[in-house]
Amino acid sequence: MLKKTKKILNEIKTIIQQKPFDYEKAENLISELNLEEAPLELENILLASINNSDENARIFAYEYLYYFDSEAVFQAALIGTTDDDDLVQMCSIEILGNLAKVESLPYLKKALGDNNPNVRCFAAESIGFVGTDEAKKMLEKQLDKETDSFAKVGIYSSLYFLGEEEMLSNIIVLLEDSYHLTIIRSLRVLEDCINQANKEMIKSSTKNLLERDIPISVKEAAEIVLEKLKRE
């Protein structure tokens, strides 16, 4: 291991053990590592932190465990779906979506019934990545009772990518939602949906959105979609 890498890992390990956990300092250190070639030593440090009493340390651990795909990480992510902290839950759910193992479905199904719509949205997206018939039925069943617009983005997008192309219209309707984060997440989904068959529909809807009085964050997200449309 390179001397510099070892030094960074030792510093991260020290910070994680300190109270309170300095998230910003740890994040600055980890940014100096090549996470695409993340060393095993980092995985071990992060795995040792998933039960840390400091919620920020746990969030940090799960956020960066996303870059690993071992069985130990998978098991840690299953545990994280039941954490008391919503951000830990969402990071764990993202890991499960990235690993896309059918064994995660019972845990994701439980998260799909969480009180927090953000958790439900993330769970729906990860269930979509698993992509089995059982996963699809899970999403369709949740759609029948889901009332929150943000959570619906996750369900609509997963069902769309699982072959239900009619869900694209539902995503576009969410551009008229009153909650700006729902609109932003819908725009990000539309950015990934663009193809020759739907590009004009997405372009028209996005331009209509820009004609409204919208927050800067929404405007920026819409302009990103239009830029991608120009390149298609």
Side-chain angles (χ1 to χ4, degrees):
M1 187 189 306
L2 295 175
K3 188 175 180 181
K4 180 182 178 182
T5 298
K6 186 174 181 178
K7 182 175 182 293
I8 292 171
L9 292 173
N10 286 337
E11 288 183 28
I12 292 173
K13 187 175 182 179
T14 299
I15 292 170
I16 287 178
Q17 293 170 344
Q18 294 172 344
K19 308 288 184 185
F21 171 70
D22 191 333
Y23 191 100
E24 184 177 356
K25 188 174 181 181
E27 191 171 47
N28 288 338
L29 281 167
I30 209 167
S31 68
E32 297 182 42
L33 298 172
N34 181 358
L35 291 175
E36 297 303 322
E37 299 177 1
L40 180 61
E41 288 78 3
L42 175 60
E43 178 181 353
N44 291 334
I45 291 170
L46 297 173
L47 284 170
S49 306
I50 65 170
N51 294 316
N52 196 302
S53 59
D54 189 318
E55 62 188 31
N56 288 321
R58 299 199 306 278
I59 293 167
F60 177 82
Y62 277 107
E63 180 179 358
Y64 289 100
L65 281 172
Y66 181 87
Y67 293 91
F68 299 90
D69 60 4
S70 69
E71 179 62 22
V73 169
F74 177 66
Q75 294 300 325
L78 295 180
I79 293 170
T81 61
T82 61
D83 196 275
D84 292 336
D85 186 272
D86 291 341
L87 287 177
V88 171
Q89 282 185 273
M90 288 187 279
C91 288
S92 301
I93 289 167
E94 281 195 307
I95 292 172
L96 295 179
N98 186 45
L99 298 176
K101 293 187 177 186
V102 69
E103 293 86 354
S104 67
L105 283 179
Y107 295 82
L108 293 173
K109 181 179 180 180
K110 185 175 181 181
L112 199 59
D114 195 88
N115 290 331
N116 187 332
N118 295 342
V119 173
R120 299 201 300 275
C121 178
F122 277 56
E125 290 175 348
S126 288
I127 288 170
F129 287 127
V130 174
T132 62
D133 288 341
E134 181 186 359
K136 190 172 182 180
K137 288 176 183 176
M138 233 180 254
L139 293 168
E140 291 171 339
K141 185 175 180 180
Q142 180 65 21
L143 183 56
D144 289 338
K145 57 185 177 182
E146 184 57 69
T147 59
D148 185 88
S149 63
F150 191 84
K152 284 180 179 179
V153 181
I155 300 173
Y156 290 158
S157 62
S158 286
L159 289 174
Y160 174 82
F161 289 116
L162 288 174
E164 297 189 17
E165 295 187 3
E166 65 273 18
M167 290 295 153
L168 182 67
S169 298
N170 293 344
I171 299 168
I172 287 174
V173 168
L174 289 179
L175 297 182
E176 300 175 9
D177 198 79
S178 59
Y179 184 37
H180 71 287
L181 291 181
T182 292
I183 301 174
I184 291 171
R185 199 160 190 89
S186 298
L187 285 165
R188 288 174 179 165
V189 172
L190 291 174
E191 184 184 352
D192 292 334
C193 289
I194 296 171
N195 59 40
Q196 289 302 313
N198 63 33
K199 63 184 296 185
E200 290 305 320
M201 181 192 304
I202 293 175
K203 182 189 292 186
S204 174
S205 301
T206 306
K207 285 185 174 180
N208 288 341
L209 172 63
L210 284 169
E211 292 176 359
R212 291 162 39 198
D213 183 16
I214 53 177
I216 294 295
S217 56
V218 174
K219 181 180 179 183
E220 290 174 346
E223 289 173 342
I224 289 172
V225 174
L226 291 180
E227 280 300 314
K228 183 167 183 180
L229 282 163
K230 287 179 183 178
R231 298 194 298 270
E232 291 296 316

